[in-house]
Amino acid sequence: MRRFEKILPAILTVWPYLFFLFFIVPDKTGKNHGLFLIIYTFLTIIIYGFNIYNAFAFQNSDVKLAFYGMMVKLLQIPFYLAGFAVGMLCLFVMAVPAFLLISPVLIFMLALVEFFLMAVSSMYGISAAIRMTKKRKLSKTWAVVYMIAHFIFVADVISAVCLYIAAKKKLFQ
């Protein structure tokens, strides 16, 4: 199980980028893309579930847990930027009547995907904050601040970095 503790955050880090295979896979009939979406969605649910479990069943130190949370967040920034760019593009193409109904649906789906990804990757930081609070390395007030910030775009990355720094400082005190 210890090996999976390290592998699962790494898989979560690269998982959203694997969706770009959708655009690379050749498909003239639409069957390959449909099958890809079904398999990717099924595996996403499994990977997210295992990562949530891993975040709270993690056997290593709270510093390592905060580190994994921070690294996942930092390495997923390009994915979120790409999602934001696609969302803005969908917003701008709404001037074309054909996209007037499709664009809001695409923007909503994109926001939903990014929110769930952010929530799952936040579980490592939330678990670290809870553990640090139980060990009296972090006050309850700061733990709540970190946990709330982990559910707000951009603030989640800042919170993950600050939590790791706080965990690292408490390690040497």
Side-chain angles (χ1 to χ4, degrees):
M1 184 62 186
R2 296 196 120 227
R3 180 180 297 160
F4 286 112
E5 288 179 350
K6 295 177 182 179
I7 292 173
L8 284 170
I11 291 171
L12 182 62
T13 301
V14 299
W15 187 250
Y17 296 107
L18 293 179
F19 183 75
F20 293 117
L21 292 174
F22 177 82
F23 301 107
I24 297 171
V25 172
D27 191 12
K28 293 181 181 179
T29 63
K31 290 181 183 178
N32 290 343
H33 283 160
L35 183 62
F36 178 84
L37 287 176
I38 290 169
I39 292 171
Y40 187 84
T41 302
F42 179 72
L43 289 176
T44 297
I45 293 167
I46 291 171
I47 289 169
Y48 283 11
F50 276 129
N51 271 282
I52 292 169
Y53 173 78
N54 187 44
F56 292 98
F58 199 81
Q59 297 298 317
N60 285 320
S61 70
D62 44 345
V63 176
K64 213 168 225 181
L65 195 57
F67 174 75
Y68 287 145
M70 178 186 70
M71 289 311 297
V72 169
K73 295 269 185 205
L74 289 173
L75 293 172
Q76 287 179 346
I77 289 174
F79 178 78
Y80 287 112
L81 290 175
F84 179 75
V86 169
M88 291 304 292
L89 182 65
C90 286
L91 191 65
F92 290 133
V93 298
M94 282 178 52
V96 178
F99 290 104
L100 194 58
L101 296 175
I102 296 171
S103 286
V105 173
L106 292 175
I107 291 170
F108 176 75
M109 293 300 291
L110 189 62
L112 201 61
V113 165
E114 290 194 351
F115 177 77
F116 280 118
L117 179 61
M118 177 186 65
V120 171
S121 63
S122 293
M123 292 302 127
Y124 288 98
I126 290 169
S127 180
I130 290 170
R131 285 184 186 199
M132 290 172 65
T133 303
K134 285 181 181 177
K135 294 177 183 177
R136 298 185 189 265
K137 294 181 180 180
L138 187 66
S139 72
K140 289 180 183 179
T141 304
W142 276 109
V144 169
V145 169
Y146 285 131
M147 286 189 259
I148 291 171
H150 266 77
F151 288 101
I152 302 170
F153 283 111
V154 180
D156 66 324
V157 177
I158 297 167
S159 176
V161 171
C162 291
L163 183 64
Y164 173 69
I165 291 169
K168 194 80 166 170
K169 281 183 182 177
K170 297 295 180 181
L171 180 68
F172 295 112
Q173 286 183 351

